[in-house]
């Protein structure tokens, strides 16, 4: 409990704005624009076909109805990045990005915020059956080894990257991401989008 309180206090010193939401959308777009046409191994995070709603519009829908704190969008990126680093077969693509996003944000809201909704509500907002979302939640938690705590230094790192992505996007053309590689970490893609060197997360973050 003391560790959680300390982390929360450190995060409070980092002022989150709507830029982190915009930055998260850019990071996800860059990631799935890099994904190969064939995702390879199918996972529970794969949709049968790509959703009609784009990832940025989907993110805005979640932003409108999740009512979660802005810190959750930073945590969501951390969780997705941890997931794809721990499990290389997970690729952020048009078939997986929506489910990865809704699940990671839901976990972040439950972990970070004092007030959050039940899975039935999150499923309705995310366009999933509650049974599907329940399975996604359990799977993501297990694949993350139930590690949702984020070191304050790591939080600041991802917060900075999301802000850089949002600010840099204003001067960037709408082209695919600037780096390649199957399952490239979200952190590296977001950094590349702003022309920055990809940072290295603390070794304790995995």
């Amino acid at each position: 409990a003391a560790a959680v309180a300390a982390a929360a206090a450190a995060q409070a010193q980092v002022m989150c704005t709507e830029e982190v939401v915009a930055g998260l959308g850019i990071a996800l777009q860059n990631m799935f624009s890099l994904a190969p046409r064939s995702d390879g191994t199918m996972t529970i995070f794969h949709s049968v076909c790509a959703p009609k709603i784009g990832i940025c519009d989907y993110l805005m829908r979640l932003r409108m109805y999740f009512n979660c704190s802005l810190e959750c969008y930073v945590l969501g990126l951390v969780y997705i990045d941890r997931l794809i680093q721990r499990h290389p077969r997970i690729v952020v693509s048009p078939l997986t990005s929506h489910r990865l996003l809704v699940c990671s944000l839901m976990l972040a809201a439950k972990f970070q915020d004092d007030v959050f909704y039940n899975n039935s509500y999150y499923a309705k907002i995310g366009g999933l059956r509650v049974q599907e979302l329940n399975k996604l939640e359990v799977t993501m938690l297990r694949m993350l080894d139930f590690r949702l705590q984020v070191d304050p230094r790591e939080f600041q790192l991802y917060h900075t990257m999301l802000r850089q992505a949002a600010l840099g996007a204003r001067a960037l053309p709408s082209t695919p991401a600037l780096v390649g590689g199957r399952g490239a970490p979200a952190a590296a893609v977001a950094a590349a989008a702003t022309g920055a060197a990809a940072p290295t997360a603390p070794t304790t973050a995995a």
Side-chain angles (χ1 to χ4, degrees):
V4 173
Q11 289 177 15
Q13 298 175 8
V14 178
M15 182 63 69
C16 287
T17 68
E18 291 294 333
E19 288 174 343
V20 299
V21 182
L24 180 56
I26 293 164
L28 292 172
Q29 278 190 315
N30 287 342
M31 293 179 74
F32 71 63
S33 69
L34 288 170
R37 291 183 180 276
S38 174
D39 282 350
T41 305
M42 294 291 289
T43 70
I44 192 174
F45 298 103
H46 279 76
S47 300
V48 176
C49 59
K52 294 181 180 180
I53 183 172
I55 190 61
C56 285
D57 288 338
Y58 188 70
L59 175 60
M60 289 302 102
R61 174 179 171 81
L62 301 187
R63 175 64 181 140
M64 182 178 296
Y65 295 109
F66 262 40
N67 296 317
C68 60
S69 64
L70 288 168
E71 286 77 11
C72 291
Y73 296 87
V74 180
L75 296 179
L77 178 63
V78 175
Y79 298 158
I80 292 173
D81 203 359
R82 286 181 181 180
L83 189 71
I84 61 180
Q85 290 192 55
R86 291 170 64 93
H87 306 277
R89 73 178 185 278
I90 302 294
V91 177
V92 179
S93 73
L95 293 179
T96 63
S97 56
H98 295 68
R99 291 186 174 201
L100 288 170
L101 176 60
V102 69
C103 190
S104 65
L105 278 184
M106 182 180 73
L107 290 181
K110 290 183 176 183
F111 181 80
Q112 171 70 19
D113 295 347
D114 292 330
V115 178
F116 53 86
Y117 301 103
N118 58 34
N119 282 22
S120 295
Y121 177 82
Y122 289 124
K124 181 177 180 180
I125 300 306
L128 297 169
R129 292 184 295 110
V130 65
Q131 295 88 344
E132 289 180 295
L133 187 57
N134 289 343
K135 290 180 181 178
L136 291 175
E137 180 182 26
V138 171
T139 299
M140 183 173 284
L141 281 170
R142 288 175 176 170
M143 295 181 81
L144 291 173
D145 199 23
F146 294 88
R147 297 184 62 183
L148 300 183
Q149 179 66 43
V150 176
D151 180 89
R153 184 165 60 96
E154 184 184 12
F155 182 89
Q156 186 170 13
L157 173 71
Y158 282 81
H159 171 264
T160 299
M161 284 191 298
L162 289 180
R163 289 194 68 246
Q164 288 177 337
L167 294 172
R170 299 173 188 171
L172 288 173
S174 55
T175 57
L178 304 178
V179 297
R182 178 182 174 83
V189 175
T194 59
T200 301
T203 54
T204 56

